[in-house]
Every structure is written in C-alpha cells, then in structure tokens.
Amino acid sequence: MRPLTAAAATAGALGAGAAAAAHIWARHVEIHRYTLREVELRILPPGARTRRVLHISDIHLMPRQPHKLAFLEHLATLNPHLVIDTGDNIASAASVPILAEALAPLLARPGAFVLGSNDLFAPHPKNPARYLLPDPRPAGITEPRDPTLPTGELVRRLTEFGWKDLTNTRASIELGGLEVRLVGVDDPHLERDEMPPRPDPEPPAPEHGNVLRVAVAHAPYRRVLDAFAADGADLMLAGHTHGGQLRLPGIGALVTNCDLPRRQARGASTWKGVPLNVSAGMGASPYSDYRLLTPPEATLLTLRAPRPLAHP
Ligand SMILES: [Fe+2]
C-alpha cells in the first residue's frame, strides 16, 4: 500500500470511528443528560418581588422513559411561582396519563400552556435530510385535519387544576403583587396561529400596579415574534427547535426547523428588543431520539425588578 493511500485509509477509519462514537453518545448518553438552564432577567416593574418562572417544552413523552420522569419530578422541587409549557408534550396516546401524573406537582402551581404539532399528531419516521431544506415541513402538514392523538384528553388533564390554555387567546394570572398578562397562539408550524386582538379597552391596572406581559408560542416563527413584540410583550417564550438537536463545535445549530435564525436556536436572546427564551426542550421524536451538544433541558427564569440607582 502506498503511504498516501494508507494515510487516507487511516483518516477514513478515524472519521468513521468518530461518527460512530458521536452516534452512540447522542443516542444513548446525551439524550438522558437532563439539564436545568438558569436565566436571570431584570424585566419586572420597579419594586416588584422576584419571581421564578419554569419554562418546560418538547417533552415528547413516551411510556417507559424513567430518566425523563425523574427530571420532571425534580423540576417540581424548584417551587416556581409560574410554569409555562410550550408544547409537544407527548409522543403517543398512552403517554397522556403518565404525563399528567408526572406533571401533577407542577399542575398544582399557577401555569399556562400552548400545544405543539406533536400534541395533535402521532410521530412518524422522517428523512433527517428534510431538515436541511428551506421549509422542512412535509406536504399537507398545514391542511386542516383531525388530531390522531387524544388532544382533548391532554388539554383536560393540563387544565384540570387551573393551568390556562393559551391557544389563540389571552389570560391573566395574579401572582400576589404581580399580574401576568398572557397571550398565546396555536402552533405556527401548522399555521394554526391566530393572534388574538388586544382587548379594547385594556383591563384596568391592578391595585398594586405591577403587570408583566408574557407571550407564548410553540414554534418561534418570525411572524409570530413580530406580532408578540408589536403587542407589547415583556417576555416571549417558545420551544420547538430542540436547540437544533444536533449541534457542531464552532458552528452550533444547523437548523431551527422554522425561520428563526440559527444563533437563536436555544436559550435567551432578544427579538426586536424583547427578551426571548427558546427552550431546547426535554425530548425528541421517538424516530430521531438523539441529541448532540444540546442536552435535554428545562429553563428556570428568575425575573427581577431593575437594580436601584446608586446614590452619588
Ligand atoms: Fe418538539
């Protein structure tokens, strides 16, 4: 064998070995490395007490996922003041009661949610190369059709202790000294989003005067974020991207599965000056159950009032 051929063969073998190791890591190790991302934002009105908001997303729960259930149990110990769930909760009909049981301690707290496409339609195998297309959605996905999953039962279980369903609607939650005014839309990935009109006249300010406007969607398409910003949101929360699901060192996410810029595929950023948190989510489709350099996560947002001005 000539030296050049030997070197090429060695490089090829090393590359194949690295790819195999990355696959084993992504499929069997990182997919279980549940992480709590912590974000601090000074967006509360001056004088308002600090509040903790737990943002969960893209659980994609299947039966028999003990690591995921243990993480959900752990999240309840954080005692958040408010829970926001940005959808894609389940991946099978059998998951609904398991999800409701796992979420029970969080469902007992103030909360709100929107649904994602995977809360309506059972997953099926997809060609991963589709995600590199400008629009990765399969043909017909936006056509009106009935859910193939028990979405009604899922909504019943999510709302039975008081969580607000923000599907194309508004709601408010009083957190004792802070009124959270929420707006949400149905999944933009399915083009079911309809921005609810601003109430006219606006509801009167609460006696304590502290209002926080939070806008919630599953898939962070630009048109929706633009509408939320124009609506006066103080904070926007979304999921759907899975943080890119596969990230490469030095490059980051290759895709966002929507038109959000790749650099905003996960974590806190801003959109038109408004804080935006995109959760990388806790799971993935059972047909692509792997993650690379974007471990499954939930986010604990600590919201504070602005720092008092220093006296000279
Ligand atoms: Fe998802």
Side-chain angles (χ1 to χ4, degrees), residues 57-60 87-88 117-118 218 239-242 245 257 283-285:
S57 197
D58 295 83
I59 302 172
H60 289 269
D88 272 8
S117 57
N118 286 276
H218 175 64
H240 175 71
T241 63
H242 300 185
Q245 201 159 321
N257 198 15
S285 163

Side-chain angles (χ1 to χ4, degrees), residues 235-262:
L235 172 65
M236 305 192 274
L237 302 173
H240 175 71
T241 63
H242 300 185
Q245 201 159 321
L246 296 176
R247 298 172 73 97
L248 296 181
I251 296 174
L254 300 177
V255 295
T256 60
N257 198 15
C258 62
D259 61 3
L260 187 72
R262 289 187 296 114

